[in-house]
Amino acid sequence: MKINEVEALVGIPKKNIRFYESEGLLKPERSSNGYRDYSEEEAEILRRIKLLRKLGVPLEEIRKMQSGTHTVGDGMRRHLITLERDMENLKQSIQFCSALADCRERLMDLDAAALLAEMESMELSGTTFQNKQRQDVRIRYVAPVTITLLTVLLMGGLAALILWGTSVDPAGAPPFALVLVLMGMPAVVIGGVVLALFQRIQEIGKGEEDDARQF
């Protein structure tokens, strides 16, 4: 099966399927033309992964169960400990928020230092509070943009070199059709790289990598 067929069959997006493959959880065969060829066995593996991820089981735990290091029962018992700990942390957060819900102060009048000290005391006792911070994704744009600029400069320089060579010695220049072909190659590369950059920017903006890791 092609990846599109597996996506439709199992209900897991292609980006997630590729992510699981990169994590070593999936190893499809390659056909003679180089395309991934997914069997029913791979589809069943994806169903199991989907089931466990819906339950919040970490990829590392899934990997151990898949390799046989842990049984399903082993993995679930370990995961239950994590869920119970998360539940206790959530209860503590709810209690803290409930106390603040009765607060009549404006934010500018809130004694944040005292509240943070109380939270830190609770953390020393084992409570873990959620720390919601949105990662600045601008750094993710640096690599693709840099690679695109370097490629455009390199291919543009190559095209300029070809033009310069034909203008310096018109008599010894190759046929015009060949010059067009030579000029077209850098143009195609530049177009492909710019298109890839555009797609990459869209992926970053939509948070597709994060979605894949959380699925």
Side-chain angles (χ1 to χ4, degrees), residues 9-81:
L9 179 65
V10 182
I12 296 180
K14 287 182 286 188
K15 65 178 182 295
N16 301 67
I17 295 173
R18 295 191 185 100
F19 174 71
Y20 294 141
E21 183 180 348
S22 70
E23 289 292 310
L25 297 174
L26 200 65
K27 297 179 181 178
E29 298 290 336
R30 293 275 183 170
S31 59
S32 57
N33 56 13
Y35 289 105
R36 295 175 178 84
D37 186 12
Y38 297 88
S39 65
E40 180 57 40
E41 181 181 354
E42 267 91 38
E44 187 59 32
I45 290 173
L46 284 169
R47 291 189 186 98
R48 297 187 193 113
I49 293 173
K50 183 178 181 179
L51 168 67
L52 294 172
R53 292 301 284 155
K54 280 181 174 290
L55 293 172
V57 179
L59 289 179
E60 186 57 36
E61 192 63 56
I62 294 175
R63 186 178 289 108
K64 290 177 180 178
M65 285 191 277
Q66 187 169 294
S67 67
T69 305
H70 290 168
T71 65
V72 174
D74 293 334
M76 288 298 102
R77 282 190 292 272
R78 290 164 61 90
H79 188 49
L80 275 172
I81 294 173

Side-chain angles (χ1 to χ4, degrees), residues 194-210:
V194 171
L195 178 60
L197 174 64
F198 177 73
Q199 293 174 338
R200 180 67 185 129
I201 289 174
Q202 284 188 318
E203 289 179 359
I204 294 172
K206 293 177 181 177
E208 289 194 357
E209 286 187 353
D210 294 335

Side-chain angles (χ1 to χ4, degrees), residues 40-202:
E40 180 57 40
E41 181 181 354
E42 267 91 38
E44 187 59 32
I45 290 173
L46 284 169
R47 291 189 186 98
R48 297 187 193 113
I49 293 173
K50 183 178 181 179
L51 168 67
L52 294 172
R53 292 301 284 155
K54 280 181 174 290
L55 293 172
V57 179
L59 289 179
E60 186 57 36
E61 192 63 56
I62 294 175
R63 186 178 289 108
K64 290 177 180 178
M65 285 191 277
Q66 187 169 294
S67 67
T69 305
H70 290 168
T71 65
V72 174
D74 293 334
M76 288 298 102
R77 282 190 292 272
R78 290 164 61 90
H79 188 49
L80 275 172
I81 294 173
T82 301
L83 291 177
E84 289 167 357
R85 183 170 60 244
D86 290 344
M87 184 182 297
E88 184 59 34
N89 290 332
L90 188 57
K91 286 180 181 178
Q92 296 292 336
S93 294
I94 290 173
Q95 290 177 6
F96 206 94
C97 291
S98 297
L100 286 175
D102 296 328
C103 180
R104 295 292 180 265
E105 297 176 89
R106 295 179 300 172
L107 181 60
M108 64 182 66
D109 299 323
L110 192 67
D111 189 354
L115 292 170
L116 285 170
E118 184 179 349
M119 292 178 75
E120 289 169 2
S121 175
M122 295 171 67
E123 287 173 334
L124 290 174
S125 301
T127 300
T128 301
F129 290 97
Q130 297 184 50
N131 187 16
K132 294 290 186 181
Q133 293 181 347
R134 182 174 179 83
Q135 181 182 1
D136 187 356
V137 298
R138 287 176 295 181
I139 191 66
R140 297 186 185 179
Y141 292 101
V142 174
V145 170
T146 301
I147 292 172
T148 301
L149 288 175
L150 290 175
T151 304
V152 169
L153 288 174
L154 180 62
M155 292 297 103
L158 179 59
L161 185 62
I162 294 172
L163 284 176
W164 177 80
T166 56
S167 62
V168 169
D169 185 14
F176 182 69
L178 180 57
V179 173
L180 286 179
V181 171
L182 293 175
M183 290 291 295
M185 292 173 63
V188 169
V189 172
I190 290 173
V193 170
V194 171
L195 178 60
L197 174 64
F198 177 73
Q199 293 174 338
R200 180 67 185 129
I201 289 174
Q202 284 188 318

